[in-house]
């Protein structure tokens, strides 16, 4: 499943864009909880639902980067993927998920989650523009419509 | 609309931030004041007791005392109340009238408050020595007569000071710097009789000490215990004498103060005299008017000492030398900063006060000096002065938090019914005694500082029936108050009390015989279940299937329906599973009578707890209510089935402290949303994975009761279950409750402890609330508080009573601000700190590991003592381990905590016992918690009427509490240990046969039966005294714990010996060794 660079990054842009929207949703939901517009149970069940899709989006694109030999970008993404998986794996057995309604108000967890989301948001914003740049470059460098052979002969 | 009121249907719009203004229905009677007596039927006496312990809350206020002469510290809000300033003779004119002021009359009798000298003695309490200068705040200006007792034990330290008070420098000036510590044996010596611990005493005995041993009144060979006419129990045996230097020396520069040694010379006690003469200067702190009464105390002292002739002057040496080593400047400096007296822990053998350790008083500024703060039994903060900034708090190394016991049974509670409950428009705070009245029409909220209007109704004073004085309303007079809530506080009609009993009937469960016991108790108590005419009841039993009982009104007998499909549970019939208790009373009785026989010999081994709980949830979901689950085995079938877990040989058991699956937690949250609480009674003998199944109770606001190895054949077990269950059935219940704690801007609650679900930032959802559950919260200082004079915390509990009434109980606590570390440390509340620490440690051991939690305990002690040392600016002064008065018991409690089953390092604590202990720490109210951490040990062989309480005409002796060390056990005596959930009387080998006969009805030690669970009723005064005392201990508890009488040579002796927490055990240090360890760590 090897795409041309332009398609790869176009996919990356959509992927990261989706994650960005998801993160904004996370932040909105968490701040709703913070201001009491939502109760902890609703909030956590909403958020937990999207935890795995978020990891999948990140992991899948990381895999694509690996397959396409984009080592640098892959390494940039790898810590994030690892962290997200670590976060999911280390959830105690008795908790309902990364966001646990019984603990989210304890020990400043809500603040911690909020901070995490902000960090993710920053990270994905940067990544988004990197992908955008890469996509534009790759479009400028070659016509993605052209076949592989032609592409290769240019160099 | 109230945002959080929206989604869950059962949720009352308690106090949303954006609540619309309440409407004022007209034509109602303004409001009615009621006195609510919420006495549970089981222990009326208990309430009686409480009544005495609480000042009259709705009574007329006495005029604010001390108007003409506020004590020095009142004038300077920045100054901490220095302990000895108060004792200064100058404010005497202020002091003396106040001590007799009517304010004091409401003081509880058994809190030996220093402020209530005369009334106390009238009440039959041991006449307190008039010499109250050791009290940190003897100025009776305080408006909280009964609520804020003095810091623990302070009051009782009078006499030792008196005997061995800090000798004036001339005596030993230039003496050795420290008392020689090498002579001091570890505390955990063999059980040497206190009469003659020769090695132990040498070091403590000051030059004048010996008289206390060679007391002519008390030849040690005679039987001292019963013959002693007066062994005042509440008296300090040889309580802390090691007042360190610092403040004492400088306390009274007034030369006049040296002129009252006369009172000591009146001391009739032969063995006291030399001591008194040696240290006459102590008298200087006694206001002159007191000296007339002073002889009373010394004489008591005399009479008492023979019983426990422990060295009374033990730390005189250390004291003297410390005094000598302190420079006058240093002392002056310390005094200036209000440092309290300090204690050298290494020197003090008897640091435990003989009376109950009381909560420190909260001293508010002048403006609120006559406002009544919330009782420390209900609402307590770890410090009685909130640090001004976060950095001060961090530097003081104290945990900041509150403990609340919101639904405590109160004997007297002002209940108000009014059209408008006056609350702040912005933050929804209820009006309370600590608001500011700008004028008669407006008040300023003390939480958010918004200025609010007062409704007209509020101008009316119902007591005097006059208008125009809003400050006389009960809301403004009492910090604990209950409102009858109008309909705005309901999202649905108040639910009826609904009780569902879910009983396991698998083979193992039936074998324990619990079913019969429980059904019998239930039969007896059916009439006493709290509720009204709508009360509903239902039953489910389960083994590998779920059995429902249809109690149709027209049916002749209960009809059992079995649902075997446990993976997808459904209700076999839509109605009649929960029935009205009163309409179907006969059927319920039939069922209860029949149930135990029905499952006799049931061969089914497995238990489908998860399915039974799901069924209960389905059954109760529409109404809410209480589910009572009796579980005996590990749930092994259907949803929520568990595998037995083992630690796999690893020493770290922390994974076992956490749940294995999230089924029970999820279900609990669903229950919580539907106002269903699940209470768990666990009677297992094999592991039942309490860590996992406790989730169902912990997050639904339920309670957990654990009876390990239960078997109904054992009298002890059945008695324990019977009493606990009886109390459980009959105690008050609050349904569909929510609790919110508000605090002044700048403070924030960041962690909650207890059994509940935190629904939104500060709203606790409590489907049920019981009078036996306590809560803890940790606070953070988020903003600088320096522009405030005090901060307020308000806990409001909105609940539906069993009578279908919606009520709001509001507790308000107001605390002053401290601006430096010394003040904060001086104001610490050691018991509350321990209470909060245990909760934090439970979290720590679950999230990290047990050894982390243990380490954290030790670090707390090290940090606190190090900080204290740093604030003392003592440089390299001495080898002692100094502790402030406010935290002097902390190391002792921490030693006890490290030995508690919850945190014990040894691996022979069963995991369920450990988890249960942890759950208890999370949810017990502070007084029970402290008792389980540090049980009370009393000598029973020397009960006298001296200092006895008098309750309902009965005289209840109050023996002194002893340190939990074998050293304190006299081989000729008998001792009672009170752990809160059990009472154990331990009879030692050399007990005098006469005493044995008089107290236990046995002719000799050998004749005492092996198993004794009751005190024989013997017709003699000593036996009567002992029974009065033991019964008193039973009555002041939520339910009377079972009593065991154990002989020294019995095989059960370890039941008693395990509580000797200060002695060394195979896996832990003794108290003294722990202190030595601390000393090496404290820098």
């Amino acid at each position: 499943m090897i795409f041309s660079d332009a398609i790869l990054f176009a996919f990356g842009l959509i992927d990261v864009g989706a994650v960005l929207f998801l993160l904004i949703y996370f932040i909105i939901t968490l701040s709703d909880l913070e201001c009491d517009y939502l109760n902890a149970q609703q909030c956590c069940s909403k958020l937990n639902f999207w935890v795995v899709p978020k990891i999948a989006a990140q992991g899948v694109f990381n895999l694509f980067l690996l397959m396409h030999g984009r080592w640098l970008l892959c390494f940039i993404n790898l810590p994030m993927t690892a962290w997200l998986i670590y976060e999911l794996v280390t959830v105690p057995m008795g908790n309902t998920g990364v966001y646990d309604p019984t603990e989210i108000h304890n020990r400043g967890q809500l603040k911690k989650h909020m901070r995490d989301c902000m960090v993710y948001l920053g990270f994905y914003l940067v990544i988004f523009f990197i992908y955008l740049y890469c996509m534009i470059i790759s479009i400028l460098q070659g016509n993605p419509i052209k076949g592989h052979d032609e592409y290769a002969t240019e160099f | 609309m109230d945002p959080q009121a929206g989604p869950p249907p059962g949720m009352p719009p308690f106090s949303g931030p954006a609540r619309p203004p309440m409407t004022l229905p007209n034509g109602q009677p303004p409001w009615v004041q009621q006195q609510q007596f919420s006495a549970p039927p089981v222990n009326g006496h208990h309430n009686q007791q409480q009544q005495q312990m609480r000042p009259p809350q709705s009574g007329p206020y006495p005029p604010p005392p001390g108007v003409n002469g506020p004590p020095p510290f009142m004038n300077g809000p920045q100054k901490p109340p220095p302990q000895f300033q108060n004792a200064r003779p100058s404010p005497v004119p202020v002091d003396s009238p106040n001590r007799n002021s009517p304010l004091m009359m409401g003081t509880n009798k058994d809190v030996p408050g220093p402020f209530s000298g005369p009334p106390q003695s009238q009440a039959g309490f041991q006449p307190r020595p008039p010499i109250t200068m050791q009290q940190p705040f003897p100025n009776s200006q305080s408006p909280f007569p009964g609520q804020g007792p003095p810091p623990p034990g302070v009051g009782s330290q009078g006499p030792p000071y008196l005997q061995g008070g800090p000798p004036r420098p001339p005596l030993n000036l230039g003496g050795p710097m420290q008392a020689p510590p090498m002579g001091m044996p570890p505390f955990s010596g063999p059980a040497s009789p206190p009469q003659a611990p020769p090695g132990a005493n040498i070091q403590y005995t000051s030059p004048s000490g010996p008289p206390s041993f060679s007391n002519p009144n008390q030849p040690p060979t005679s039987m001292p215990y019963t013959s002693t006419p007066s062994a005042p129990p509440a008296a300090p045996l040889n309580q802390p004498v090691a007042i360190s230097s610092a403040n004492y020396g400088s306390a009274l520069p007034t030369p006049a103060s040296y002129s009252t040694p006369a009172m000591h010379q009146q001391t009739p006690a032969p063995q006291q005299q030399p001591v008194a003469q040696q240290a006459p200067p102590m008298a200087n702190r006694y206001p002159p008017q007191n000296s007339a009464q002073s002889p009373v105390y010394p004489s008591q002292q005399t009479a008492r000492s023979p019983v426990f002739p422990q060295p009374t002057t033990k730390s005189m040496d250390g004291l003297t030398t410390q005094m000598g080593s302190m420079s006058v400047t240093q002392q002056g400096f310390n005094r200036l900063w209000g440092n309290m007296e300090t204690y050298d822990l290494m020197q003090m053998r008897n640091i435990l006060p003989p009376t109950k350790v009381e909560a420190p008083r909260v001293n508010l500024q002048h403006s609120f000096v006559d406002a009544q703060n919330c009782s420390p039994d209900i609402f307590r903060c770890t410090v009685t002065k909130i640090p001004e900034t976060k950095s001060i708090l961090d530097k003081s190394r104290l945990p900041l938090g509150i403990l609340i016991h919101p639904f405590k049974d109160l004997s007297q509670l002002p209940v108000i019914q009014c059209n408008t409950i006056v609350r702040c428009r912005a933050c929804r705070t209820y009006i309370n005694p600590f608001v500011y009245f700008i004028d008669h029409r407006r008040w300023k909220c003390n939480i958010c500082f918004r200025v609010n209007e007062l409704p007209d109704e509020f101008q009316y004073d119902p007591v005097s029936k006059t208008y125009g004085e809003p400050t006389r309303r009960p809301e403004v007079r009492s910090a604990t108050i209950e409102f009858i809530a109008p309909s705005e506080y309901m999202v649905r009609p108040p639910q009826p009390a609904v009780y569902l009993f879910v009983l396991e009937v698998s083979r193992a469960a039936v074998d324990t015989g619990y079913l019969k016991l429980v059904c019998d108790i239930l039969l007896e108590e059916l009439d006493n279940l709290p509720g009204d005419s709508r009360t509903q009841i239902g039953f489910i039993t389960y083994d590998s299937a779920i059995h429902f009982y249809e109690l149709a009104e027209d049916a002749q007998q209960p009809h059992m329906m079995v649902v075997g499909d446990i993976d997808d549970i459904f209700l076999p019939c839509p109605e009649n599973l929960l029935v009205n208790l009163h309409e179907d009373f006969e059927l319920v009785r039939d069922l209860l009578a029949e149930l135990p026989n029905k499952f006799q010999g049931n061969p089914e081994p497995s238990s489908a707890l998860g399915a039974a709980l799901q069924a209960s949830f389905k059954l109760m979901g529409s109404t809410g209510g209480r589910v009572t689950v009796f579980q005996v085995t590990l749930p092994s079938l259907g949803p929520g089935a568990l595998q037995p877990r083992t630690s796999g040989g690893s020493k770290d058991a922390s994974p076992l402290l956490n749940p294995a699956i999230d089924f029970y937690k999820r279900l609990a949250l669903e229950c919580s949303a539907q106002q269903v609480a699940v209470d768990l009674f666990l009677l297992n003998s094999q592991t039942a994975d309490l860590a996992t199944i406790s989730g169902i109770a912990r997050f639904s606001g339920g309670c957990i009761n654990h009876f390990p190895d239960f078997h109904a054949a054992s009298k002890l077990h059945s008695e324990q279950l019977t009493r606990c269950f009886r109390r459980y059935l009959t105690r008050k219940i609050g349904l569909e409750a929510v609790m919110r704690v508000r605090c002044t801007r700048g403070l924030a609650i960041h962690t909650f402890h207890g059994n509940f679900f935190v629904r939104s930032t500060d709203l606790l959802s409590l489907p049920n609330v019981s009078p036996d559950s306590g809560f803890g919260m940790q606070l953070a200082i988020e903003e600088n508080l320096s522009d405030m004079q005090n901060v307020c915390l308000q806990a409001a509990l909105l609940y539906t009573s069993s009578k279908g009434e919606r009520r709001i109980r509001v507790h308000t606590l107001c605390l002053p601000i401290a601006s430096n570390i010394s003040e904060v440390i001086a104001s610490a509340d050691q018991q509350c700190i321990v209470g909060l620490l245990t909760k934090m440690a439970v979290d720590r051991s679950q999230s990290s590991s047990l050894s982390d939690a243990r380490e954290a305990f030790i670090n707390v002690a090290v940090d606190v003592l190090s900080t204290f040392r740093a604030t003392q600016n003592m440089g390299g002064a001495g080898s002692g381990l100094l502790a402030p008065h406010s935290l002097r018991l902390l190391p002792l409690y921490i030693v006890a905590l490290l030995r508690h089953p919850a945190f014990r390092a040894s691996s022979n604590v069963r995991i369920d016992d450990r988890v249960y202990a942890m759950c208890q720490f999370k949810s017990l109210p502070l007084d029970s918690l402290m008792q389980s951490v540090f049980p009370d040990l009393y000598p029973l062989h020397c009960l006298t009427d001296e200092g006895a309480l008098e309750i309902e005409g009965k005289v209840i002796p109050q023996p002194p509490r002893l340190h939990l060390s074998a050293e304190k056990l006299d081989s000729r005596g008998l001792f009672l240990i009170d752990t809160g959930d059990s009472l154990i009387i331990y009879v030692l080998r050399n007990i005098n046969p006469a005493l044995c006969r008089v107290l236990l009805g046995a002719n000799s030690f050998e004749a005492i039966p092996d198993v004794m669970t009751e005190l024989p009723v013997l017709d003699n005064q000593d036996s009567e005294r002992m029974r009065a005392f033991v019964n008193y201990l039973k009555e002041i508890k939520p339910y009377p714990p079972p009593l065991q009488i154990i002989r020294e040579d019995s095989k059960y002796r370890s039941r008693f010996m395990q509580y000797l927490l200060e002695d060394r055990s195979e896996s832990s240090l003794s108290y003294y060794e722990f202190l030595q360890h601390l000393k090496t760590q404290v820098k």
Side-chain angles (χ1 to χ4, degrees), chain B residues 713-717 719 985 1006-1015 1043-1047 1050-1052 1055:
Chain B
S714 151
K715 189 157 182 246
L716 189 68
H717 288 166
E719 215 169 290
I985 292 181
E1006 286 75 23
I1008 300 171
D1010 236 4
V1011 181
M1012 244 176 119
T1013 53
E1014 263 166 28
L1015 284 174
L1043 175 74
Q1044 305 167 62
I1045 298 171
I1046 293 176
R1047 284 194 321 196
S1050 153
K1051 60 183 170 182
Y1052 302 120
R1055 286 189 192 164

Side-chain angles (χ1 to χ4, degrees), chain B residues 386-557:
Chain B
I386 301 282
E388 197 174 71
T389 59
K390 189 168 185 326
S391 77
I392 294 178
L393 176 67
D394 292 344
K395 279 184 204 147
S396 75
R397 313 291 289 170
L398 295 171
L400 181 60
I402 47 175
L403 298 183
I404 312 179
H405 187 183
F407 204 54
K408 186 177 163 62
D409 285 325
L410 299 171
S411 55
Q412 206 179 23
L413 174 71
V415 179
I416 290 177
Q417 185 160 35
C418 53
N419 296 327
T420 329
I421 297 176
V422 182
R423 301 175 68 180
C424 171
R425 279 283 183 86
C427 65
R428 310 303 298 148
T429 300
Y430 296 83
I431 195 164
N432 58 67
F434 309 102
V435 300
Y436 311 91
F437 283 100
I438 293 168
D439 51 41
H440 281 193
R441 310 288 310 166
R442 287 178 303 163
W443 60 283
K444 191 170 162 198
C445 173
N446 53 344
I447 302 273
C448 68
F449 306 112
R450 184 189 195 273
V451 176
N452 293 280
E453 300 280 313
L454 272 181
D456 291 339
E457 193 191 354
F458 208 75
Q459 301 293 327
Y460 178 73
D461 171 26
V463 178
S464 65
K465 302 201 167 39
T466 52
Y467 285 87
E469 190 49 73
T471 53
R472 302 184 66 164
R473 291 276 298 195
E475 291 98 319
V476 186
R477 304 279 293 274
S478 175
T480 294
I481 199 155
E482 188 155 284
F483 296 99
I484 295 177
S487 55
E488 295 107 344
Y489 292 83
M490 307 169 194
V491 279
R492 61 172 186 180
Q495 68 163 88
V498 182
Y499 304 112
L500 179 67
F501 294 89
V502 181
L503 310 164
E504 184 182 348
V505 290
S506 68
R507 188 178 61 207
V510 174
D511 285 350
T512 62
Y514 89 90
L515 200 57
K516 172 119 183 70
L517 197 66
V518 165
C519 289
D520 287 350
I521 302 167
L522 208 46
L523 261 180
E524 284 170 40
E525 301 291 348
L526 270 184
D527 289 325
N528 300 330
L529 286 177
D532 55 8
S533 58
R534 303 178 298 156
T535 307
Q536 292 182 332
I537 195 166
F539 296 89
I540 288 179
T541 55
Y542 63 99
D543 42 25
S544 60
I546 314 296
H547 319 138
F548 294 88
Y549 296 89
E550 188 184 11
L551 302 163
E553 218 171 315
D554 45 356
Q556 290 305 308
Q557 56 179 22

Side-chain angles (χ1 to χ4, degrees), chain B residues 39 75 212 214 248 257 288 613 642 668 710 731 927 959 973 995:
Chain B
N75 294 334
S212 58
S214 56
Y248 256 88
S257 57
L613 289 172
L642 296 168
F710 178 83
R731 70 188 178 193
D927 49 348
L995 189 63

Side-chain angles (χ1 to χ4, degrees), chain A residues 33-42 92-97 100-108 110-111, chain B residues 3-4 7-8 659-662 665-666 669-670 673 699 740 750-752 757-762 782 843 847:
Chain A
L33 178 67
E34 227 170 15
C35 345
D36 276 10
Y37 292 122
L38 208 59
N39 79 42
Q41 240 174 307
Q42 289 174 314
M93 296 295 288
N95 281 14
T96 51
D100 188 276
T102 57
E103 298 195 351
I104 197 156
H105 285 297
N106 271 6
R107 278 160 286 165
L110 185 55
K111 281 208 181 83
Chain B
Q4 83 260 0
I661 53 172
D662 64 356
K665 189 189 229 176
R666 278 178 195 276
L669 294 181
E670 286 176 42
F699 301 110
R740 196 187 283 273
H750 67 83
T751 303
F752 300 85
F757 169 53
V758 189
R759 191 154 51 194
S760 67
T761 37
D762 54 354
E782 294 195 324
D843 275 357
S847 62

Side-chain angles (χ1 to χ4, degrees), chain B residues 721-751:
Chain B
L721 178 65
T722 308
R723 287 172 177 176
C724 177
F725 191 52
R726 222 180 265 281
R727 157 75 179 168
Y728 170 80
L729 289 177
T730 52
R731 70 188 178 193
K732 265 189 76 152
I733 182 171
L735 301 156
E736 44 181 0
V738 283
M739 182 164 83
R740 196 187 283 273
V741 180
R742 296 182 174 83
C743 41
T744 301
R745 194 182 58 210
L747 286 182
I749 298 172
H750 67 83
T751 303

